[in-house]
């Protein structure tokens, strides 16, 4: 099968991007791509390190005549968010992506593209493979950025010599990031009590909330998009009011990543046969209301209730799917908890107009035999506000006897008033584009925060080519932008080598 990107520019970069796309590399599944980078370095005789987490550092000496220039760190993450359309059959754990190219825009068939952050990996591979003017390079490839920046957080950075960091993990061309929010993953565990049988004359039904746009829980949290897990609490409460004794939940599942606004959530339940029509009417009315409320942000919200092919006139046996219903009180407590949980923007910045300072996103909702788990990603540019929001969740959920665990905590990346590296990038951008580069901080996590925390005094910036709808199956990358960004990167390195 021929290469879909053959003949496309920048060819020296895109050949590596296509090569990487053939390797499954979702978060938590990066061993193959990590080993691929090690093999890449070995074949070219480059110095490298691979740690126990799978992080890889590949070093390349400065171009001849530029040995006295200070070393530069280039950095990106090798993992991607694996999301796909409901009808997509691709096994993203074991199969490569199916790339699509149309009118200069690259995407993947039915799945996320992995441009975030495969393009950084491809840029660095092209630099390591080619003959360009640059100072000595330390190319850092981290794992599991998308699930809490675990690779960067666990990396030993003491061996890095560079004190200038070019992070290539920004999805807006012309935007230079110089600060970001910190974050933490907080999980709430609700104990479950189950019954051995459903009530008589009942049927398994599957409630689905779908049709939402979803998106990045940092960059797009201020767009007012609905979160399917949060809506699930509202929908279930409406059903509970109409059917106070005729429904029992037995399973909840929504979202796959805590850093993606949940676009699909499902609840499996037992409903009395005599109450199904009432349930349909509740959903019909509520769908109309939700479409009016979210008409500008999520106009295609859909609520559906379909049979699950099991009747409740016999004991419900424990099986891998576990259809044993929650008790009536546990059903109510689960609904009340979901209804109480906060979501979205919690505070806007008073220093930077339009900048989100603190937010949280209920990214995943799951159930086991004994627990319902709701997992949040909390973000804030102020560490004190992040801690306060975690404390608030602990207090709120204590009344439900919930256990709360916080992990994957990473620091904010604070803006530097004086940054020579930022000035070099701005000058090179102005030369190439004929206009000024925007300089901003962002309400999403960037690994620069961890590098800045571990390497005092490091001068860091983050940039990248234009990508749209990252973390969703609509993700795409503009190839003309990827080429312009490649030329910009080469020019910046040329200036830093002098």
């Amino acid at each position: 099968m021929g290469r879909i990107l053959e003949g496309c520019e920048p060819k020296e970069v895109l050949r590596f991007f296509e090569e990487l796309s053939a390797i499954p590399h979702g978060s938590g599944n990066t061993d193959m791509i990590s080993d691929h980078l090690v093999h890449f370095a070995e074949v070219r005789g480059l110095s490298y390190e691979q740690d126990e987490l799978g992080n890889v550092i590949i070093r390349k000496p400065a171009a001849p005549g530029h040995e006295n220039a200070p070393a530069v760190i280039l950095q990106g993450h090798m993992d991607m968010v694996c999301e796909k359309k409901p009808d997509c059959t691709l096994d993203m754990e074991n199969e490569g992506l199916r790339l699509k190219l149309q009118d200069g825009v690259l995407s993947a068939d039915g799945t996320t593209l992995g441009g975030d952050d495969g393009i950084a990996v491809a840029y660095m591979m092209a630099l390591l493979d080619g003959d360009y003017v640059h100072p000595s390079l330390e190319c850092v490839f981290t794992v599991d950025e998308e699930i809490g920046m675990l690779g960067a957080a666990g990396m030993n950075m003491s061996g890095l010599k560079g004190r200038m960091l070019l992070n290539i993990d920004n999805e807006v061309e012309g935007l230079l990031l110089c600060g970001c929010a910190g974050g933490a993953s907080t999980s709430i565990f609700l104990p479950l009590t189950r019954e051995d049988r459903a009530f008589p004359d009942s049927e398994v039904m599957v409630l689905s909330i779908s049709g939402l746009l979803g998106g990045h829980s940092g960059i797009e949290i201020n767009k007012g998009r609905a979160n399917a897990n949060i809506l699930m609490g509202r929908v279930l409460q409406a059903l509970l009011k109409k059917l106070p004794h005729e429904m029992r939940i037995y399973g909840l599942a929504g979202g796959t990543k805590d850093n993606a606004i949940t676009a699909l959530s499902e609840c499996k339940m037992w409903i009395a046969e005599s109450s199904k029509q009432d349930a349909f009417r509740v959903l019909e009315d509520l769908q109309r209301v939700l479409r009016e409320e979210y008409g500008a942000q999520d106009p295609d919200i859909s609520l559906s209730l379909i049979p699950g092919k099991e009747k409740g006139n016999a004991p419900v046996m424990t099986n891998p799917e576990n259809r044993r219903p929650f008790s009536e009180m546990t059903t109510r407590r689960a609904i009340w908890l979901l209804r109480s949980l906060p979501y979205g923007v919690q505070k806007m910045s008073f220093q930077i107009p339009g900048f989100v300072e603190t937010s949280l996103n209920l990214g995943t909702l799951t159930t086991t035999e004994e627990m319902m788990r709701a997992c949040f990603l909390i973000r804030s540019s102020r560490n004190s506000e992040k801690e306060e929001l975690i404390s608030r969740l602990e207090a709120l959920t204590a009344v439900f006897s919930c256990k709360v665990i916080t992990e994957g905590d990473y620091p904010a990346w604070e803006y530097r008033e004086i940054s020579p590296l930022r000035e070099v990038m701005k000058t090179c951008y102005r030369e190439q584009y004929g206009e000024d580069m925007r300089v901003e901080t962002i309400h999403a996590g960037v690994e620069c925060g961890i590098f800045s925390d571990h390497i005092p005094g490091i001068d860091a910036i983050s940039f990248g080519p234009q990508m749209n709808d990252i973390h969703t199956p609509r993700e795409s990358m503009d190839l003309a932008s990827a080429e312009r960004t490649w030329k910009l990167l080469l020019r910046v390195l040329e200036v830093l080598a002098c």
Side-chain angles (χ1 to χ4, degrees), residues 110-129:
T111 69
T112 40
L113 172 65
D116 174 22
D117 195 19
I119 190 61
V121 178
Y123 280 148
M124 289 189 283
M125 292 175 75
L127 278 167
L128 293 166
D129 184 62

Side-chain angles (χ1 to χ4, degrees), residues 195-207:
E195 298 177 346
D196 290 332
R197 64 171 66 227
F199 37 87
D201 301 315
S202 61
E203 183 177 358
V204 166
M205 303 293 287
V206 180
L207 168 64

Side-chain angles (χ1 to χ4, degrees), residues 307-319:
K309 301 179 182 179
E310 186 168 332
K311 304 293 183 179
N313 293 319
V316 180
M317 304 302 293
T318 300
N319 58 49

Side-chain angles (χ1 to χ4, degrees), residues 226-477:
N227 180 304
N229 286 334
I230 295 295
L231 286 187
M232 182 60 75
R234 181 173 175 179
V235 174
L236 288 174
Q237 186 185 34
L239 287 171
L240 184 63
K241 286 183 177 180
K242 187 67 176 179
L243 316 173
H245 306 292
E246 295 82 27
M247 59 174 280
R248 298 281 193 283
I249 296 171
Y250 76 80
L252 289 151
T256 59
K257 303 290 184 300
D258 63 3
N259 60 359
I261 299 171
T262 310
L264 172 65
S265 189
E266 291 187 339
C267 177
K268 298 178 181 180
M269 65 181 78
W270 294 90
I271 295 182
E273 292 276 5
S274 59
S275 300
K276 286 196 300 183
Q277 293 306 313
D278 288 335
F280 288 134
R281 282 190 286 271
V282 168
L283 296 182
E284 183 179 357
D285 291 342
L286 189 52
Q287 177 176 280
R288 182 172 60 253
V289 170
L290 291 174
R291 286 185 174 180
E292 290 175 356
E293 290 182 9
Y294 290 94
Q297 311 98 307
D298 275 295
D300 299 321
I301 290 175
S302 176
L303 308 182
S304 65
L305 188 66
I306 60 174
K309 301 179 182 179
E310 186 168 332
K311 304 293 183 179
N313 293 319
V316 180
M317 304 302 293
T318 300
N319 58 49
E321 192 178 5
N322 193 1
R323 296 191 175 190
R324 294 196 306 136
F326 299 178
S327 69
E328 182 172 354
M329 181 51 67
T330 296
T331 293
R332 290 171 180 266
R333 286 163 62 83
I335 294 171
W336 293 336
L337 175 61
L338 285 176
R339 196 70 175 101
S340 303
L341 294 173
Y343 163 69
V345 175
Q346 302 297 296
K347 184 180 177 182
M348 299 295 292
S349 172
F350 290 101
Q351 286 75 36
I352 307 173
F355 179 69
V356 177
E357 190 160 275
T358 304
S359 74
L360 78 170
N361 174 63
L362 177 51
T364 61
L365 185 63
T366 56
T367 50
T368 64
E369 174 79 16
E370 299 177 342
M371 292 285 179
M372 180 181 83
R373 179 185 182 185
C375 186
F376 284 90
L377 182 57
I378 297 172
R379 303 179 190 266
S380 182
S381 55
R382 293 183 183 272
N383 290 326
S384 61
E385 290 184 10
K386 178 180 65 179
E387 296 303 323
E388 191 281 329
L389 190 49
I390 293 171
S391 179
R392 182 174 150 206
L393 283 176
E394 291 172 343
L396 172 66
T397 59
V399 297
F400 296 95
S401 300
C402 291
K403 179 180 180 181
V404 179
I405 296 177
T406 297
E407 53 193 355
D409 198 332
Y410 58 90
W413 169 29
E414 296 185 2
Y415 179 84
R416 287 170 58 104
E417 292 295 334
I418 300 175
S419 168
L421 181 57
R422 182 172 69 234
E423 296 308 312
V424 169
M425 174 62 78
K426 288 168 60 179
T427 299
C428 292
Y429 184 89
R430 192 181 303 114
E431 289 175 354
Q432 179 173 322
Y433 289 80
E435 60 186 29
D436 288 334
M437 199 173 198
R438 289 158 43 212
V439 178
E440 295 181 6
T441 59
I442 192 173
H443 190 65
V446 182
E447 289 163 299
C448 296
I450 295 177
F451 280 82
S452 297
D453 192 52
H454 288 189
I455 308 175
I458 194 169
D459 190 1
I461 58 174
S462 180
F463 66 103
Q466 185 65 42
M467 285 180 270
N468 295 306
D469 297 312
I470 63 169
H471 296 183
T472 78
R474 303 183 305 279
E475 181 184 355
S476 64
M477 180 169 63

